[in-house]
Each structure stands twice: as C-alpha cells, then as structure tokens.
Amino acid sequence: MSWLRQHKVLVCVWLLFLGGYALASVLMRPSHNQTAFGDVAQCVVLLFANTGLLLNTGSADWRRNGFWMLLALGTGLWLGGQLLWTYLEVVKQQPVPNPFLGDVIFFLHTVPLLAALSIRPDAPRDHRNLHVGNVDFSLLLCWWIYLYLFIVIPWQYVSGNAALYSASYDRLYAVENFLLVCGLGYLVWRVHGPWRTVYAHLLGAASVYAASSFIINRAIDRDTYKTGSLYDLGLIAAFLWFGTAGFLARRVCPPAAPRREEKLFEPEFPKANSWTPRMAIATALSLPVLAIWSAMASDAPGNVRQFRLVVTLSAILVFTSLVFLRQSLVDRERLGLLRNSRESLDNLKRIQNHYVQSEKLASLGQLAAGAAHEINNPLTAILGYSEVLLADGTVPENSRRVAEKIGDQARRTKALVGKLLSFAQPAPGERTLIDINNVISGALELRRLDLMEKKIQIEVDARPNLPGVRGDANQLLQVFYNIITNAVDALDEVGGGSLTVRLTREGANVAIEFSDTGPGIKDPHLVFDPFYTTKPAGKGTGLGLSICYGVIKEHKGTISCFNRGSGGATFRIELPAVMALFPDRTSSGGASGASWRLTTTVGNTEATKP
C-alpha cells in the first residue's frame, strides 16, 4: 500500500492508458475511427516514454546522461516509424503495405537501446574516452545495418518476395530484441541497489515489447492485424513501462558513484571495457563468414548472392576504417595516460624528497634546539672568563694571547649555536611588501669589500618593473647573501670566474637565479640537507643552505639547485608575486630595473652599466 501511495500518479496513468485502451479496443468496431484511435494512442504513449526517459538527462555525469539519451533515442525512432504509419493509415487512409518503408526505422530503434547497456551508469565514474564510445556505437549501428541489408533487403528490392522478406525480418528483429532482453537480464543479475530496480523495470518493458512485437509481426504476415485492436495492448504496456522506469529512476537512483579515493599523484587507468573490442572483432570477422556462406552454402538466387557480396565488401571497407579509427583513439588515450603517469611519478618523487627533507629538518631542529640551549650556558661563562683575563692588566702577554684565542673560538661557537637556534626555531619576521631588486643590491653590497683582490665578476640582469614580494626583507637578504657567498667561495677555489644573478617574472612568481662558472656541485640533491658541506673542515657548518630552504618555504616559495651543462651550478628561487609595481629607477642609477655589472679585479672594484 505504501508503494501505491508513493506512485499513485503512475498507477493512474497505467490504469488510464491500459484500461481505456483495452476497453476501447473491445467496444469499438473495426473502422477508420478505431485505427485512428490506436495510432494516436501509441503516439501519445511513446511521448510519455520519451518524457520519462529524458527527465534523467540533467545530471553532471555524461555516462548517465548518455544512457538515458540512448534509451530515449530508441523510443524516438519508434515514434518516427509510428508517425509514418499513422500518416498512411489516418491521413492517407490507406493500408500499410508489407513490406513497409518504415520497417528499417522500427528495426534500428533497438540499436540505441543495445548501445545504452554498455555505458553502465551504475558503475563508478572513470576516464573513458567519449570519442571511443561514439566509434563503438557507430560500429554497432553499422553492423545491424549490414545485417539488415544482407538478410532482409534482398527480398524487398533485389528479388521481390514478400513471404521471404517477412520471415527474414521477423527472425532478425526477434534476435535483436532477444539480445536486448539478455543484456538487461545480465545487468539485473550483476547489479545491486537502486539501479537493479531500474534495470528490472527496463527488463520487464523490453520483454513485453519483444513478445508483443513478435506477435504483431506474425499477425501482419497472416494479414490478421488491425491497428487499435488488442494486439497493440502489449506495445502500450511496454512503452508505459519504459516511461515508468524513467520516472522511478529519477526518484530512487543516486548520482553516479565517485571514483575511489586516489593515492597521492597516482594515475588512474580506466578499466578496459572487454565487450567493445570483442564486439569489434566479432563484427569484423562476421563479414567474410557471411559472404562465404552466401557464396557457397546459400540457395538464394544469383542476383541476391551478388548483392550480398557487394554489400559485404562495402561493409568491410567501412568497418576497417572504423576499427582503425577506434584503435588510433585508444592509442592516443593510452599515450596520454602514459605521459600522465610519468609526470605523476616525477611529482611523487619530488614530494617524497620534500617530505624527507622536511622530516630531517624537523627532527634535527628538535635536536639542535635542545643542544643549543645546553651549550649556551657554559659557552657564556667561557666567553666571560676570557674577557675578564683580557681586561686584567696584570696577565702576562702569552696568557692574553691565549685568552684572546679562547674568546675568538667561544664567539665562533656562539655564532654556530645562534645558527642552530635560528634553524630550529626560525623567528617569524614581519611580512611587508618588498622590492627584490633592492634586497639583491643589499646582499651584493655586503659582499663588495670581501671581493677585493679576487678575480670574480658579478653581473645582475633584472627586468624593469618587477612585481613586489611579500615577506621579511632581512630573512631574504640572509638567503641571497648565503647563496652569493657559496658561489664566491666556489669561484675562489678555481681562481675566479663570474656569477650571474637573473631576476624575471614567470607567471604569478618572481624567479631569481644565481648561476656561476665554478666547478659545480657534486650532489645537487643533497645541498639542502643539514650539515652537508663540501668545504674543508672548520670552514663550513653545512647549515646555511638548510636555513635558506626553511626561509623560502616559510615564504611559500621554492628553491632548487642543479648543475648546468656548460659548467657551474645554478640556484633557482621562486617567490609568489604581489601585483604591485615599483618605479623604474634606471634613470637614477639604481640597480633595480636595469642590467648592471659589479666587476672586481685585483686591487680595485668598479660598478658599470652596459
């Protein structure tokens, strides 16, 4: 009773159509009015079926929309044939001939129904190529058209024989409807949940239709069929059932299931739809088999066999083209997936490296913080005692020199402890809008005096009116100074060279590249690891680039290192740009907005503009 209350409108429609049609068929005498009533009633019920099916085509899932649109296309083709039938019987008031021109429309209306079964809207969403699906549908349509041309048409146009035409048409049409019923039965057997209910309704409608159409075709062959009679009651029920399945699906079927939760950067390859390539192989192989049967085993007249041979050769050409097109689309899709998988693998490796780096920094930061605090107390005492000894005028000169060395080493150790603390607990600086050109200029000015008596040339290539960057100018100055210092040290080892600092805007980022002509870096992927250094013992701590890495990450940027093919190493930093421009200071002689050069030679330093 609850089901009846929920679907009382559908129940009323069924009672109105079926009950009214059955009552009218019994009460009305065979006449033109009965024929007109039967034709119009079938058109109305087909419109109801189309409406119920098309109501489900408004979802965001193309497969679900395609499924219901193909079902509606099938009933729409039947409606087209029925309108042609109605025109002859109602408007022209003449009996429908046998063979009928619209038989091919009635025959082909089942093809979209068969194609809809392959879409499977109940399954989770995937990446199936829509173009491949269109080619599959074209293959299926061409195959049934070929079968119709091969089996039915010869007895209509080549060697006119109404009895053989009707028998061939009935058998082929029955096979087509039988395959539709079997396909829906398979889905009902395999699927669970709300979609099983929908498939069951479609199965019932298709079964009633298959039985009714077979009975009507046999009655037409015996010349006992009359439009508007009880013969059409099965068709009325079948199309009412199709429409009912559409209305029920709109209520009970959830949206298409989402894809499974994907792992990070894991490409999802679509599962191969096994029946479509098998169908392509079966259709292609059936053509020569049917041609051989027609030529060697068929008792059809010679003109029929010749017609079938021509049809088969033409179909082979069409099918071969479609199969090659499908294969090229599949190959293109697989190549795209292969490229995506390679990119995903590279992204996964990059993320893993960043994750390992972050874990190293986090664990080492905790260790460094604890060690730094423990070292600071005795270190402060050592530094204080050394200063006391230096301040005491009665201390001998040798002891003063020892105390001075102790103080120097204590201050050096204190500086190292300060780096450890800044590495472990970087202080959140004040974020303001800054000009990267000015920061680069400041870092170079800090290095200017140290470059005396070094054959090192520094060039800056800055684009005019670079956008600003939001961050802490002191922290970024520390990063740039550290990278410039490492480059200068590398160039000093080989007796000199050049360092090029290039600033550009790339999309939504400001990119800064530091490229030197030194010997390069032995392990570029390890330079940001804490305590990794290639400098001699006592000269480098291996913490500078690790601190740079942490600062750039805090600024939502990226930093990387690589060796160039022409020699030397390049450090690349990308920082998010802020859409604010700074004035072009080319005319004022500043570094920003111009390409300028800081040249150092033995004994002098000069700045020039090209």
Side-chain angles (χ1 to χ4, degrees), residues 169-457:
Y169 182 90
D170 293 347
R171 286 195 293 268
L172 186 60
Y173 195 33
V175 170
E176 189 181 29
N177 289 326
F178 176 74
L179 291 177
L180 175 63
V181 171
C182 290
L184 287 169
Y186 172 79
L187 292 180
V188 172
W189 175 54
R190 291 296 302 270
V191 176
H192 300 279
W195 277 103
R196 185 175 191 176
T197 302
V198 175
Y199 289 142
H201 281 285
L202 293 175
L203 173 62
S207 301
V208 172
Y209 170 78
S212 177
S213 63
F214 180 80
I215 294 173
I216 289 175
N217 288 334
R218 299 293 291 176
I220 292 174
D221 295 341
R222 294 193 300 268
D223 201 19
T224 59
Y225 173 76
K226 181 67 177 178
T227 303
S229 64
L230 291 176
Y231 280 112
D232 293 333
L233 193 62
L235 288 181
I236 298 292
F239 288 113
L240 277 175
W241 210 338
F242 274 116
T244 301
F247 283 104
L248 289 177
R250 184 173 175 82
R251 291 187 177 185
V252 302
C253 284
R259 289 180 297 173
R260 60 179 177 81
E261 191 74 18
E262 296 182 15
K263 296 181 180 179
L264 188 62
F265 294 108
E266 180 186 4
E268 180 177 347
F269 291 89
K271 295 182 179 180
N273 196 351
S274 59
W275 80 270
T276 44
R278 293 176 183 175
M279 179 201 72
I281 295 174
T283 54
L285 293 179
S286 66
L287 304 182
V289 172
L290 289 175
I292 293 173
W293 170 83
S294 176
M296 302 183 64
S298 174
D299 56 356
N303 56 347
V304 172
R305 294 200 300 270
Q306 184 178 5
F307 173 79
R308 286 174 171 173
L309 180 60
V310 173
V311 168
T312 302
L313 292 176
S314 303
I316 288 176
L317 179 62
V318 174
F319 274 62
T320 303
S321 302
L322 289 175
V323 169
F324 274 112
L325 176 60
R326 185 185 191 280
Q327 189 60 42
S328 65
L329 291 174
V330 171
D331 291 342
R332 186 183 306 173
E333 181 184 9
R334 295 298 187 265
L335 288 175
L337 289 171
L338 182 59
R339 286 192 295 269
N340 292 338
S341 67
R342 289 174 178 172
E343 293 176 1
S344 299
L345 183 59
D346 293 339
N347 291 335
L348 180 60
K349 289 180 179 179
R350 190 176 299 111
I351 290 297
Q352 287 176 338
N353 291 335
H354 289 175
Y355 178 76
V356 170
Q357 181 74 15
S358 300
E359 288 295 318
K360 287 180 179 179
L361 293 176
S363 58
L364 190 58
Q366 295 177 357
L367 175 63
H373 284 96
E374 292 297 327
I375 294 173
N376 257 335
N377 292 330
L379 190 60
T380 302
I382 294 173
L383 187 58
Y385 287 134
S386 67
E387 292 176 352
V388 169
L389 290 175
L390 290 174
D392 189 355
T394 62
V395 176
E397 186 64 24
N398 291 337
S399 299
R400 290 177 62 84
R401 286 199 295 270
V402 173
E404 186 176 354
K405 291 180 180 180
I406 292 174
D408 291 340
Q409 293 301 317
R411 279 187 287 272
R412 181 174 179 271
T413 306
K414 191 174 183 65
L416 175 60
V417 171
K419 288 184 178 181
L420 286 173
L421 284 175
S422 64
F423 169 74
Q425 298 175 348
E430 182 181 359
R431 301 297 173 90
T432 58
L433 187 62
I434 59 177
D435 185 357
I436 286 294
N437 286 305
N438 285 340
V439 181
I440 290 290
S441 299
L444 292 173
E445 288 297 329
L446 291 176
R447 290 294 312 180
R448 180 188 292 271
L449 296 177
D450 296 340
L451 294 177
M452 296 295 295
E453 300 182 359
K454 295 180 184 293
K455 297 180 180 181
I456 297 174
Q457 177 178 290

Side-chain angles (χ1 to χ4, degrees), residues 17-39:
F17 273 91
L18 281 183
Y21 190 89
L23 184 62
S25 298
V26 172
L27 297 179
M28 295 180 69
R29 295 180 179 181
S31 63
H32 177 70
N33 290 336
Q34 184 189 39
T35 301
F37 167 76
D39 287 331

Side-chain angles (χ1 to χ4, degrees), residues 151-157 159-162 164-165 168 300-301 304 308:
I151 297 174
V152 180
I153 288 298
W155 309 116
Q156 183 177 4
Y157 295 108
S159 179
N161 189 322
L164 287 177
Y165 169 85
S168 301
V304 172
R308 286 174 171 173

